[in-house]
Amino acid sequence: MERDDLKLAEAEGEVPPAATPEATAAPPWVSATVPAVFVVLWSSAFIAAVIGTDAAPPLLLTFSRFAIAGVLLAVVALVSKSPWPKGKLLLHVVVTGLLMQAVQFGAFYTAIGAGLPGGVVALIQGFNPVLIALMAGFFVGEEITRQQWLGFAIGGAGVALAVAGALDFSTSAIVLSFVGLLGLSAGTVYQKRFTQGADVRSSTAVHFLASAPVMLVMTLTLEDPKVTDWGAFGGSLAWIVLINSVGTFLLLNFMLKKQAASRVGTLFFLTPAVTALLAWLVIGQTLNLSAIIGLVLGGAGVLLAARK
C-alpha cells in the first residue's frame, strides 16, 4: 500500500511539502488521537473492499480505484509542481506500481470477493515486514538476528492458525492473498533498490495510472464487469479512494512529522485485529477461535521480528 512509499520517502528526507513542520503546533489531544483514527481508517479499507466486492466484481472495483485515485494524485502532483519520473526511473516506477498495486490489490480484492475474511487478509498483508526482512537477508546479505527468527516463527504460526481457520472459505482465495503479499513485498524491495529518487506524489500517481489499464483488461477478459448495487459500489469506492488513498496519506504524513518512522510503523501491527473487529461490527463477519488466536500470534510475531 501507499505507506511503503511514504516510509521510504521519510527515511530519505523526501517527505512531501505537506509534511514539513507547521508554524502552529497541533493541540496535544490531536496528536494523541490521530494514531487511533489512522488505524481505524486504514483497517476500514478491508471492510470497504468486502462491501464493494459484494456489489461488483473485484477486478472492476480494483480498476475503478486505480483510475480515480490515479487522476486525483496526478492533479495533486501537477498543482504542487512535483517532478515526474523520466527515462529509466519512470520504467522502474511503473514496475514498482504493477507489483505493489496491480498484483497486491488485484489478488487481495479477488480473495476478499471469494469470501476470505478481511481480518485474515489484513494479517497476511501485515506479514510484509517479515517477508521483506527475509528477502533482504537472502538476497542483499543483511543479518537476521535471533530475535527476528523467533518473531518469524511466532508470526508464521499465527498466520498458519488464521489461515487454517479460514480454509472453509476458499483455498484459492488464501493462495491469492499470499500472491498479493508477494507483490507488495517484492514491490517494496524493488522500490527501495531502484526508485529512491522518485517524488512520492508523482510516483504514486504513476503507480495507479500504470496499473489501471492492466486491471481494465483483466476485468473485461476474466469477469462480467457489471455492478449489481450502485449504491454500495459507489459508497465503497468513494471510501477507498478518498479515505484510504487520500485521508490516511495525510494522517500518515502528520504522524511522521511528530514521531519516528519506526514508532509509526508499529501501528500497522494493530490492523488485523482492528479489521476483524470492524468486520464483526459493520458487516457481521465472524472468525472462529483458531483464526482469532492466529491474529494475536501473527501480530505479536511480526512486531517482535520488526523490532531493532
Side-chain angles (χ1 to χ4, degrees), residues 28 84 101 121 130 167 173 178 202 257 260 278:
W84 289 82
Q101 302 296 337
V121 177
V130 174
L167 283 177
F178 281 101
S202 59
K257 287 192 304 179
L278 288 177

Side-chain angles (χ1 to χ4, degrees), residues 175-189:
V175 173
L176 280 171
S177 293
F178 281 101
V179 170
L181 169 63
L182 183 61
L184 171 60
S185 300
T188 302
V189 173

Side-chain angles (χ1 to χ4, degrees), residues 12 38 72 80 83 91 115 155 169 191 213 226 230 239-241 272 283 306:
E12 295 296 319
F38 173 80
L72 289 177
S80 61
L91 178 61
F169 288 93
Q191 174 180 256
K226 293 182 179 179
W230 279 102
W239 186 272
I240 290 171
V241 172
I283 57 178

Side-chain angles (χ1 to χ4, degrees), residues 214-261:
V214 176
M215 290 296 102
L216 177 60
V217 171
M218 292 185 68
T219 187
L220 292 176
T221 55
L222 301 178
E223 299 176 331
D224 182 14
K226 293 182 179 179
V227 178
T228 57
D229 186 339
W230 279 102
F233 178 76
S236 65
L237 183 60
W239 186 272
I240 290 171
V241 172
L242 297 177
I243 302 300
N244 301 124
S245 295
V246 178
T248 54
F249 179 93
L250 297 175
L251 289 177
L252 186 57
N253 271 313
F254 175 83
M255 290 188 296
L256 287 174
K257 287 192 304 179
K258 306 296 182 181
Q259 303 174 16

